[in-house]
Each structure stands twice: as structure tokens, then as C-alpha cells.
Amino acid sequence: MNSDTNRPVRAGRRPVVGICARTAPVTLQGSDLVVSLALQAHVAFLSEAGCTPLLLPLLPGAEDLAGRLDGLLVPGGPDLDPTLYGAHAHPATRAMDPDADRVELALVGRALEAKVPVLAVCRGMQLLNVLHGGTLHQHLADVTGHDGHRPRTPSFTLGRRPLKLLPGSRIAGILDEADPVTACHHHQAVDRLGEGLSATGWAEDGTVEAVEVTDHPFAVGVQWECGQTADKRLHQALAGAAGGANHQPAAAILRN
């Protein structure tokens, strides 16, 4: 699949796709713990698409695995440290983890250098933009004048925004529909677009909703929450691109 990656997977093994872990406090059997985790839908959708998902905690040295993967998924998560793009924190910017940010930036950078297929989701797309020298709107409602991208409701609610896609772009080919609609939950977004990126999707208010790395076979960022709905198209596209990989050491990760 996706022969344009020109990186055939060795016959007989499933492509290994890394998923950047997030940390969260949980209570288990009465004990308060902090765990590394991934959204189960990301794990399940990639497995259903023929891949072996691999959780990657954001600790020093994680970037050394980048070239040994067949694909990388960078999911949603906390806000990025604004100092990474030369800004002071907005009052609404929260839950930052500068150490994890720097590990994740190094991991994604190394993956792109190795031409590993990358799917960056929500925070992941924002990180992709910052990696390329771009900046972020730290609180999107200040720019758009509304909270439609992250509805203010008592429980978690996805915003539904009409999506305009660049004809002929990779994301337009993946979604392949006339009137796509996002399922989003974000209060930050691209401000200045990073060098080497192309904006390929926008909300009706002008918010950048999709970007692609211009000199990479498959590196796509989307602002919406794929993994929070039943839509598996982006995971299937990443799996297809990972299926064109030729990193034999990825199998060794699972043996060692």
C-alpha cells in the first residue's frame, strides 16, 4: 500500500507504529498513581489496520527509536510550553510539561528525518508546526470570537465545524468526501505556519485544521480528534504508509 513511500515492509511481519504516550493520574484499587497511556481507540484502530502499536513514554532516549519504527502517531494532549515558540504563557494555557515537550519534539524530528510516516493529531499538529518554526494561538476564542472548536459544556463535547480541504492534497484524498466536518476539541491552533509545511484544511472561520510536510512521503497533521469518533480513515492511511516501511529493526524492538 502507498507505494509512493518507496519503503516496503519485510514480508511476514506487521508494521510497528509508535504512539507517543501521555501521562495522567489515576486511582487503582485505592492507590493514587501516575500512568503512561494511550487512547484505546488509537491502539485498536491501528491494530485493526494491520499494525502493531507500540507505546512510547516521553523520556530521554525515546528519540533513538524513531528510525526503527514503521510509523508514528502523535496524539492530542496538554498545551505546549509557549517558550518553545518564543511566547509567554496565556492565562488559559495549562498542564504544560516542558521536559516531555522537548523529548517529543526530538522524537518527531528524528522520525521525519528518517522518512517515517507520521500522523499528528490535535496537540500533535501544533507540535509539528512548532517543530518547523511556527507559532500558536494560545487561546483560539480570542481570535475567532467563539468557543465552537472547544464547546463549553459540563461534559466533554466535540465541536462540529465544516471543513474546507485543498483539492489534490493528501488529506483530501484520505477523507474523499464533498462536505467533511471536523470533530474537534481544542483551544489552541496554528498562528504562523512553520517553514516546510503546507496548510491543506481550514475551518469556516479560517482556523488551520490540517497541515502536511511538503518534502515528506507521509507526514500529516490534523487539528480534529480522530480517535474520539468511529472514523478510522486517518489511522488506515497511516497504516498504509507504514506498510511501505523498510525498517527491519522495528521487529527487533518487540523481540528485545
Side-chain angles (χ1 to χ4, degrees), residues 1 34 41-43 46 53 76-77 83 105 111 123 140 163-164 168 176 184 194 213 232-233 243:
M1 301 173 68
V34 177
H42 289 318
V43 174
L46 288 171
T83 64
L105 282 165
R123 165 202 157 93
L140 191 54
L163 183 63
K164 178 182 178 181
D176 192 25
C184 58
V213 180
K232 305 176 184 180
R233 287 174 292 182

Coordinates of all heavy atoms in Angstrom, one line a residue, residues 1 34 41-43 46 53 76-77 83 105 111 123 140 163-164 168 176 184 194 213 232-233 243:
M1 N 0.8 -1.2 0.0 CA 0.0 0.0 0.0 C 0.9 1.2 0.0 O 2.0 1.2 0.5 CB -0.9 0.0 1.2 CG -1.8 -1.2 1.3 SD -2.7 -1.3 2.9 CE -3.8 0.2 2.7
V34 N 0.4 7.6 38.9 CA 0.5 8.3 37.6 C 0.9 7.3 36.6 O 1.9 6.5 36.8 CB 1.6 9.5 37.7 CG1 1.8 10.1 36.3 CG2 1.2 10.5 38.7
A41 N -8.7 3.8 21.4 CA -9.1 3.8 20.0 C -7.9 3.9 19.1 O -7.9 3.2 18.0 CB -10.1 5.0 19.8
H42 N -6.9 4.7 19.4 CA -5.7 4.7 18.6 C -5.1 3.4 18.5 O -4.7 2.9 17.4 CB -4.7 5.7 19.1 CG -5.1 7.2 19.0 ND1 -5.6 7.7 17.9 CD2 -4.9 8.2 19.9 CE1 -5.9 9.0 18.1 NE2 -5.4 9.3 19.3
V43 N -5.0 2.7 19.6 CA -4.4 1.3 19.7 C -5.2 0.4 18.8 O -4.7 -0.4 18.0 CB -4.3 0.8 21.1 CG1 -3.8 -0.6 21.2 CG2 -3.3 1.7 21.9
L46 N -5.3 1.1 14.9 CA -4.0 0.7 14.2 C -3.9 -0.8 14.1 O -3.4 -1.3 13.1 CB -2.8 1.4 14.9 CG -2.7 2.9 14.7 CD1 -1.6 3.4 15.7 CD2 -2.3 3.2 13.3
P53 N 0.8 -1.6 17.5 CA 1.0 -0.4 18.2 C 2.1 -0.5 19.3 O 2.1 -1.6 19.9 CB -0.3 0.0 18.7 CG -1.3 -0.9 18.0 CD -0.5 -2.1 17.7
G76 N -3.3 13.8 20.7 CA -3.7 15.0 21.5 C -3.1 14.9 22.9 O -2.6 13.9 23.4
G77 N -3.1 16.1 23.6 CA -2.6 16.1 24.9 C -2.6 17.5 25.5 O -3.3 18.4 25.0
T83 N 7.3 28.9 25.6 CA 8.7 29.3 25.4 C 9.3 28.6 24.2 O 10.3 29.1 23.6 CB 9.6 29.1 26.6 OG1 9.7 27.7 26.9 CG2 9.0 29.8 27.8
L105 N 9.5 16.6 20.7 CA 10.0 17.4 19.5 C 11.2 16.6 18.9 O 11.3 16.5 17.7 CB 10.4 18.8 20.0 CG 9.3 19.8 20.2 CD1 9.8 21.0 20.9 CD2 8.7 20.2 18.8
A111 N 12.0 11.2 13.5 CA 11.1 10.4 12.6 C 11.0 11.0 11.2 O 11.1 10.3 10.2 CB 9.8 10.2 13.3
R123 N -2.9 18.3 19.5 CA -1.7 18.8 20.1 C -0.5 18.4 19.1 O 0.4 19.1 18.9 CB -1.4 18.3 21.5 CG 0.1 18.5 21.9 CD 0.4 17.5 23.0 NE 1.8 17.3 23.1 CZ 2.6 17.9 24.0 NH1 2.2 18.9 24.7 NH2 3.9 17.6 24.0
L140 N -7.8 30.2 21.2 CA -8.4 30.4 19.9 C -9.6 31.3 20.0 O -9.9 32.1 19.1 CB -8.8 29.1 19.3 CG -9.2 29.1 17.8 CD1 -8.1 29.8 16.9 CD2 -9.4 27.6 17.3
L163 N -15.4 21.8 7.2 CA -14.0 21.7 6.8 C -13.8 21.9 5.3 O -14.5 21.3 4.5 CB -13.5 20.3 7.2 CG -12.0 20.1 7.1 CD1 -11.2 21.0 7.9 CD2 -11.7 18.6 7.4
K164 N -12.9 22.9 5.0 CA -12.6 23.1 3.6 C -11.2 22.5 3.3 O -10.2 22.8 4.1 CB -12.6 24.6 3.3 CG -12.1 24.9 1.8 CD -12.1 26.4 1.6 CE -11.6 26.7 0.2 NZ -11.5 28.2 -0.1
G168 N -6.6 18.0 -4.2 CA -5.4 17.3 -4.6 C -4.4 17.1 -3.4 O -3.4 16.4 -3.6
D176 N -11.8 12.1 1.2 CA -12.6 11.7 0.0 C -14.1 11.9 0.1 O -14.9 11.0 -0.1 CB -12.2 10.3 -0.5 CG -12.7 10.0 -1.9 OD1 -12.9 11.0 -2.7 OD2 -13.0 8.8 -2.2
C184 N -13.9 18.3 16.8 CA -12.7 18.9 17.4 C -13.0 19.2 18.9 O -14.1 19.4 19.3 CB -12.3 20.1 16.6 SG -13.6 21.4 16.5
G194 N 4.7 27.0 10.1 CA 6.1 26.7 10.0 C 6.6 26.5 8.6 O 5.9 26.2 7.7
V213 N 3.7 18.0 5.7 CA 5.1 18.3 5.5 C 5.4 18.2 4.0 O 5.1 17.1 3.4 CB 6.0 17.4 6.3 CG1 7.5 17.7 6.1 CG2 5.6 17.5 7.8
K232 N -12.1 5.8 11.1 CA -10.8 5.2 11.1 C -9.9 5.5 9.9 O -8.9 5.0 9.7 CB -11.0 3.7 11.2 CG -11.8 3.2 12.3 CD -12.0 1.7 12.3 CE -13.0 1.2 13.4 NZ -13.2 -0.3 13.3
R233 N -10.4 6.5 9.1 CA -9.7 6.7 7.8 C -8.3 7.2 8.0 O -7.4 6.7 7.2 CB -10.5 7.7 6.9 CG -11.8 7.1 6.4 CD -12.6 8.2 5.7 NE -13.1 9.2 6.6 CZ -13.9 10.2 6.3 NH1 -14.2 10.4 5.0 NH2 -14.4 11.0 7.2
G243 N 3.0 0.5 6.1 CA 3.1 -0.8 5.4 C 4.1 -0.7 4.2 O 4.5 -1.7 3.6

